[in-house]
């Protein structure tokens, strides 16, 4: 039996192992955990709120740190020519040991992990920010027991993410709608 933090750290390690590019950073960890919990109903126990870069829960970062403390992942700060920085998270030789401790949970949710990597594994940070904010705005309307049009969803997202064009928001939301990932559209 594993505790919740150990299970969640194992999920993060499994995602690091499956991620198809070198761009697996903190934003990707945060958003993939959000998508797993929200879109696939994987019981991770996070409580996401809307933050600057989309849905956020500080417990995800705590679990990421825990996975690193256990030696199951490596997190290296990366500096970009623009002056910005980020993190490159990768599996280690100890990833398997942590995954073994949460093997029943990981087996039960293997299809969900594969799905989230397949759907979102090739997105950059900005795309993940937009995608997760669209889903968050959709679920907020559902939580209120209401419905909305695509135009209303686009406006809601645009209000909190004005650096994305309405065309970008509508295109991404349209793709999600076609995949039945949005629940609030009338």
């Amino acid at each position: 039996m594993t505790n919740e933090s150990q299970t969640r750290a194992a999920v993060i390690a499994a995602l690091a192992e499956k991620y198809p590019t070198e761009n697996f950073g903190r934003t990707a960890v945060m958003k993939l955990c959000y998508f797993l919990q929200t879109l696939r109903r994987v019981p991770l126990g996070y409580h996401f709120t809307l933050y600057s870069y989309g849905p956020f829960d500080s417990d995800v970062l705590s679990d990421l740190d825990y996975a690193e403390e256990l030696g199951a992942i490596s997190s290296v700060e990366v500096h970009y020519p623009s002056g910005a920085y980020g993190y490159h998270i990768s599996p280690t030789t100890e990833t398997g040991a942590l995954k073994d401790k949460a093997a029943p949970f990981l087996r039960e949710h293997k299809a969900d992990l594969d799905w989230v990597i397949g759907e979102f594994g090739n997105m950059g940070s900005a795309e993940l920010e937009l995608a997760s904010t669209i889903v968050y705005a959709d679920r907020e309307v559902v939580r209120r027991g209401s419905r909305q049009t695509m135009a209303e969803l686009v406006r809601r997202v645009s209000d909190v993410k004005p650096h994305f064009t309405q065309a970008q928001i509508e295109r991404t939301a349209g793709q999600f709608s076609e995949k039945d990932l949005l629940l609030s559209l009338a």
Side-chain angles (χ1 to χ4, degrees):
M1 191 67 161
T2 62
N3 65 39
E4 184 176 65
S5 289
Q6 191 174 49
T7 297
R8 296 187 317 197
V11 167
I12 292 169
L15 291 170
E17 202 171 55
K18 291 174 178 282
Y19 207 74
T21 70
E22 296 290 315
N23 298 325
F24 191 59
R26 289 181 175 201
T27 299
V29 169
M30 186 70 62
K31 302 322 177 206
L32 294 183
C33 287
Y34 175 72
F35 292 136
L36 280 170
Q37 183 169 294
T38 304
L39 297 175
R40 300 297 283 203
R41 299 180 192 243
V42 175
L44 297 174
Y46 292 122
H47 303 283
F48 290 93
T49 57
L50 195 58
Y51 194 66
S52 300
Y53 297 103
F56 177 84
D57 182 335
S58 62
D59 288 343
V60 175
L61 297 181
S62 295
D63 294 334
L64 177 64
D65 289 342
Y66 184 50
E68 189 171 16
E69 286 173 24
L70 294 173
I73 61 160
S74 169
S75 178
V76 177
E77 192 171 305
V78 178
H79 293 270
Y80 300 104
S82 65
Y85 73 96
Y87 295 87
H88 172 70
I89 298 165
S90 57
T92 68
T93 57
E94 297 302 313
T95 299
L98 178 58
K99 285 174 45 189
D100 287 348
K101 292 178 182 175
F105 186 90
L106 294 175
R107 265 194 311 277
E108 180 181 349
H109 298 289
K110 181 187 182 314
D112 302 312
L113 292 167
D114 291 342
W115 179 86
V116 82
I117 292 292
E119 287 293 321
F120 304 103
N122 289 314
M123 288 185 173
S125 293
E127 293 169 298
L128 288 167
E129 174 188 344
L130 175 58
S132 61
T133 302
I134 289 169
V135 172
Y136 191 91
D138 174 74
R139 294 316 195 266
E140 277 298 298
V141 169
V142 170
R143 271 191 283 281
R144 289 195 314 261
S146 192
R147 308 267 297 161
Q148 66 186 337
T149 65
M150 178 63 80
E152 289 168 326
L153 175 61
V154 169
R155 184 186 47 74
R156 285 180 202 286
V157 174
S158 183
D159 286 350
V160 294
K161 299 292 177 187
H163 56 282
F164 292 105
T165 68
Q166 289 195 350
Q168 287 173 302
I169 297 167
E170 188 168 2
R171 183 175 50 252
T172 302
Q175 292 167 349
F176 283 12
S177 178
E178 289 172 10
K179 294 177 181 182
D180 294 325
L181 299 178
L182 301 180
L183 305 177
S184 70
L185 296 179

Coordinates of all heavy atoms in Angstrom, one line a residue, residues 11-12 15-16 18-20 24-40 42 44 46 48 60 112-113 115-123 128 132:
V11 N 3.0 8.7 -10.4 CA 2.3 9.1 -11.7 C 3.2 10.1 -12.4 O 3.4 10.0 -13.6 CB 0.9 9.7 -11.3 CG1 0.4 10.5 -12.5 CG2 0.0 8.6 -10.9
I12 N 3.8 11.1 -11.7 CA 4.7 12.1 -12.3 C 5.9 11.4 -12.9 O 6.3 11.7 -14.0 CB 5.1 13.1 -11.2 CG1 3.9 14.0 -10.9 CG2 6.2 14.0 -11.8 CD1 4.1 14.9 -9.7
L15 N 4.8 9.7 -16.1 CA 4.6 10.7 -17.1 C 6.0 11.1 -17.7 O 6.2 11.3 -18.9 CB 3.9 11.9 -16.6 CG 2.4 11.7 -16.3 CD1 1.8 12.9 -15.6 CD2 1.6 11.4 -17.6
A16 N 7.0 11.3 -16.8 CA 8.3 11.7 -17.3 C 8.9 10.7 -18.2 O 9.6 11.0 -19.2 CB 9.2 12.0 -16.1
K18 N 7.2 8.5 -20.1 CA 6.4 8.4 -21.3 C 6.5 9.7 -22.2 O 6.2 9.6 -23.4 CB 4.9 8.2 -21.0 CG 4.7 6.8 -20.3 CD 3.2 6.7 -19.9 CE 2.8 5.4 -19.4 NZ 2.6 4.4 -20.4
Y19 N 6.9 10.8 -21.6 CA 6.8 12.1 -22.4 C 7.7 12.0 -23.6 O 8.8 11.6 -23.5 CB 7.2 13.2 -21.5 CG 6.6 14.5 -21.9 CD1 5.2 14.8 -21.6 CD2 7.3 15.5 -22.6 CE1 4.6 16.0 -22.0 CE2 6.7 16.7 -22.9 CZ 5.4 16.9 -22.7 OH 4.7 18.1 -23.0
P20 N 7.1 12.4 -24.8 CA 7.8 12.1 -26.0 C 8.9 13.1 -26.4 O 9.6 12.9 -27.4 CB 6.7 12.2 -27.1 CG 5.7 13.1 -26.5 CD 5.7 12.8 -25.0
F24 N 9.6 18.3 -21.2 CA 8.8 18.0 -20.0 C 9.3 18.8 -18.8 O 10.3 18.5 -18.2 CB 8.9 16.5 -19.7 CG 7.9 16.0 -18.7 CD1 6.5 16.1 -18.9 CD2 8.3 15.4 -17.5 CE1 5.6 15.7 -18.0 CE2 7.4 14.9 -16.6 CZ 6.0 15.1 -16.8
G25 N 8.5 19.8 -18.5 CA 8.8 20.7 -17.4 C 7.7 20.8 -16.4 O 6.7 20.0 -16.5
R26 N 7.8 21.8 -15.5 CA 6.8 21.9 -14.5 C 5.4 22.2 -15.0 O 4.4 21.8 -14.5 CB 7.2 23.0 -13.5 CG 8.4 22.6 -12.7 CD 8.7 23.7 -11.7 NE 9.8 23.2 -10.8 CZ 10.1 23.7 -9.6 NH1 9.4 24.7 -9.2 NH2 11.0 23.1 -8.9
T27 N 5.3 23.1 -16.1 CA 4.0 23.4 -16.7 C 3.4 22.1 -17.2 O 2.2 21.8 -17.0 CB 4.1 24.4 -17.8 OG1 4.7 25.6 -17.3 CG2 2.8 24.7 -18.5
A28 N 4.1 21.3 -17.9 CA 3.6 20.0 -18.4 C 3.1 19.1 -17.3 O 2.1 18.5 -17.4 CB 4.7 19.3 -19.3
V29 N 3.9 19.0 -16.2 CA 3.5 18.2 -15.1 C 2.2 18.6 -14.5 O 1.2 17.9 -14.3 CB 4.6 18.2 -14.0 CG1 4.1 17.5 -12.7 CG2 5.8 17.5 -14.4
M30 N 2.1 20.0 -14.3 CA 0.9 20.5 -13.7 C -0.3 20.3 -14.6 O -1.4 19.8 -14.2 CB 1.1 22.1 -13.6 CG -0.1 22.8 -12.8 SD -0.2 22.4 -11.1 CE 1.4 23.0 -10.5
K31 N -0.2 20.6 -15.9 CA -1.3 20.5 -16.8 C -1.7 19.0 -17.1 O -2.9 18.7 -17.2 CB -1.1 21.2 -18.1 CG -0.7 22.7 -18.0 CD -1.5 23.4 -16.9 CE -1.1 24.8 -16.8 NZ -1.3 25.4 -15.5
L32 N -0.7 18.1 -17.2 CA -1.1 16.7 -17.4 C -1.8 16.1 -16.2 O -2.7 15.3 -16.4 CB 0.2 15.9 -17.8 CG 0.8 16.2 -19.1 CD1 2.0 15.3 -19.4 CD2 -0.1 16.2 -20.3
C33 N -1.4 16.5 -15.0 CA -2.1 16.0 -13.8 C -3.5 16.6 -13.8 O -4.4 15.9 -13.5 CB -1.3 16.4 -12.6 SG 0.2 15.4 -12.3
Y34 N -3.6 17.9 -14.2 CA -5.0 18.4 -14.3 C -5.8 17.7 -15.3 O -7.0 17.3 -15.0 CB -4.9 19.9 -14.7 CG -6.2 20.6 -14.9 CD1 -7.1 20.8 -13.8 CD2 -6.7 20.8 -16.2 CE1 -8.3 21.4 -14.0 CE2 -8.0 21.4 -16.4 CZ -8.8 21.7 -15.3 OH -10.0 22.2 -15.5
F35 N -5.3 17.4 -16.4 CA -6.1 16.7 -17.5 C -6.4 15.3 -17.0 O -7.5 14.8 -17.2 CB -5.3 16.6 -18.8 CG -5.2 18.0 -19.5 CD1 -4.0 18.3 -20.1 CD2 -6.3 18.8 -19.6 CE1 -3.9 19.6 -20.7 CE2 -6.2 20.1 -20.2 CZ -5.0 20.4 -20.8
L36 N -5.5 14.6 -16.4 CA -5.7 13.2 -15.9 C -6.9 13.3 -14.9 O -7.8 12.4 -15.0 CB -4.5 12.6 -15.2 CG -3.4 12.1 -16.1 CD1 -2.2 11.8 -15.3 CD2 -3.9 10.8 -16.8
Q37 N -6.9 14.2 -14.0 CA -7.9 14.2 -13.0 C -9.3 14.7 -13.5 O -10.3 14.2 -13.2 CB -7.5 15.1 -11.8 CG -8.4 15.2 -10.7 CD -7.8 15.9 -9.5 OE1 -6.9 15.3 -8.9 NE2 -8.4 17.0 -9.1
T38 N -9.2 15.8 -14.4 CA -10.4 16.4 -14.8 C -11.1 15.7 -16.0 O -12.3 15.5 -16.1 CB -10.2 17.9 -15.2 OG1 -9.6 18.5 -14.1 CG2 -11.4 18.6 -15.6
L39 N -10.3 15.3 -17.0 CA -10.8 14.7 -18.2 C -10.9 13.2 -18.1 O -11.8 12.6 -18.8 CB -9.9 15.1 -19.4 CG -9.9 16.6 -19.7 CD1 -8.9 16.9 -20.9 CD2 -11.3 17.1 -20.1
R40 N -10.1 12.6 -17.3 CA -10.1 11.1 -17.3 C -10.5 10.6 -15.9 O -10.6 9.4 -15.7 CB -8.7 10.5 -17.6 CG -8.2 10.9 -19.0 CD -9.1 10.3 -20.1 NE -8.8 8.9 -20.2 CZ -9.0 8.2 -21.3 NH1 -9.6 8.7 -22.3 NH2 -8.8 6.9 -21.3
V42 N -9.0 10.4 -13.1 CA -8.0 9.7 -12.3 C -8.0 10.3 -10.9 O -7.8 11.5 -10.8 CB -6.6 9.7 -13.0 CG1 -5.6 9.0 -12.1 CG2 -6.7 9.1 -14.4
L44 N -6.5 11.6 -8.3 CA -5.3 12.1 -7.7 C -5.4 13.0 -6.5 O -4.5 13.1 -5.7 CB -4.5 12.9 -8.8 CG -4.1 12.1 -10.1 CD1 -3.5 13.0 -11.1 CD2 -3.1 11.0 -9.7
Y46 N -6.1 16.2 -6.2 CA -5.7 17.6 -6.3 C -6.9 18.5 -6.2 O -8.0 18.1 -6.6 CB -4.9 17.9 -7.5 CG -3.6 17.2 -7.6 CD1 -3.2 16.3 -8.6 CD2 -2.6 17.4 -6.6 CE1 -2.0 15.6 -8.6 CE2 -1.4 16.8 -6.6 CZ -1.1 15.9 -7.6 OH 0.2 15.3 -7.7
F48 N -7.4 22.0 -7.9 CA -6.9 23.0 -8.8 C -7.8 24.3 -8.7 O -9.0 24.2 -8.6 CB -6.9 22.5 -10.3 CG -5.9 21.4 -10.5 CD1 -6.2 20.1 -10.4 CD2 -4.6 21.8 -10.9 CE1 -5.3 19.1 -10.6 CE2 -3.7 20.8 -11.1 CZ -4.0 19.5 -11.0
V60 N 0.9 19.6 -6.5 CA 1.6 19.0 -7.7 C 3.1 19.2 -7.6 O 3.9 18.3 -7.8 CB 1.0 19.5 -9.0 CG1 1.8 18.9 -10.2 CG2 -0.5 19.1 -9.1
D112 N -5.2 5.8 -19.2 CA -5.4 7.2 -19.0 C -4.0 7.9 -19.1 O -4.0 9.0 -19.8 CB -5.9 7.5 -17.5 CG -7.3 6.8 -17.3 OD1 -8.2 6.9 -18.2 OD2 -7.4 6.1 -16.3
L113 N -3.0 7.3 -18.6 CA -1.7 7.9 -18.8 C -1.3 7.9 -20.3 O -0.8 9.0 -20.8 CB -0.6 7.1 -18.0 CG -0.7 7.2 -16.5 CD1 0.1 6.2 -15.8 CD2 -0.4 8.6 -16.0
W115 N -3.3 8.0 -22.8 CA -4.2 8.9 -23.5 C -3.7 10.3 -23.3 O -3.6 11.1 -24.2 CB -5.6 8.8 -22.9 CG -6.6 9.7 -23.6 CD1 -7.3 9.6 -24.7 CD2 -6.9 11.0 -23.1 NE1 -8.0 10.7 -25.0 CE2 -7.8 11.6 -24.0 CE3 -6.6 11.8 -21.9 CZ2 -8.4 12.9 -23.8 CZ3 -7.1 13.0 -21.8 CH2 -8.0 13.6 -22.7
V116 N -3.4 10.7 -22.0 CA -3.0 12.1 -21.8 C -1.7 12.4 -22.5 O -1.5 13.5 -23.0 CB -2.9 12.4 -20.3 CG1 -1.6 11.9 -19.6 CG2 -3.2 13.9 -20.0
I117 N -0.8 11.5 -22.6 CA 0.5 11.7 -23.3 C 0.2 11.8 -24.8 O 0.7 12.7 -25.5 CB 1.5 10.6 -23.1 CG1 2.0 10.6 -21.6 CG2 2.6 10.6 -24.1 CD1 2.8 11.8 -21.2
G118 N -0.7 11.0 -25.3 CA -1.1 11.0 -26.7 C -1.8 12.3 -27.1 O -1.5 12.9 -28.2
E119 N -2.6 12.8 -26.3 CA -3.4 14.0 -26.5 C -2.6 15.3 -26.3 O -2.7 16.3 -27.1 CB -4.7 14.1 -25.6 CG -5.7 13.2 -26.0 CD -6.4 13.5 -27.4 OE1 -6.6 14.6 -27.7 OE2 -6.7 12.5 -28.1
F120 N -1.7 15.3 -25.3 CA -1.1 16.6 -24.9 C 0.4 16.5 -24.9 O 1.1 17.6 -24.7 CB -1.6 17.0 -23.5 CG -3.1 17.1 -23.5 CD1 -3.9 16.1 -22.9 CD2 -3.8 18.2 -24.1 CE1 -5.3 16.2 -22.9 CE2 -5.2 18.3 -24.0 CZ -5.9 17.3 -23.4
G121 N 1.0 15.4 -25.1 CA 2.5 15.2 -25.0 C 3.3 16.0 -26.0 O 4.5 16.3 -25.7
N122 N 2.7 16.5 -27.1 CA 3.5 17.3 -28.0 C 3.2 18.7 -28.0 O 3.7 19.5 -28.8 CB 3.2 16.7 -29.5 CG 3.9 15.4 -29.7 OD1 5.0 15.2 -29.3 ND2 3.1 14.4 -30.2
M123 N 2.4 19.2 -27.0 CA 2.1 20.6 -26.8 C 3.2 21.3 -26.0 O 3.8 20.7 -25.1 CB 0.8 20.8 -26.1 CG -0.4 20.4 -26.9 SD -1.9 20.9 -25.9 CE -3.2 20.6 -27.1
L128 N -0.4 24.2 -23.6 CA -0.9 23.5 -22.4 C -1.7 24.5 -21.5 O -2.7 24.2 -21.0 CB 0.2 22.8 -21.6 CG 0.8 21.6 -22.3 CD1 2.1 21.2 -21.6 CD2 -0.2 20.5 -22.3
S132 N -5.6 23.9 -20.9 CA -6.1 23.7 -19.6 C -7.0 24.8 -19.1 O -8.0 24.5 -18.4 CB -4.9 23.5 -18.6 OG -4.1 24.7 -18.6

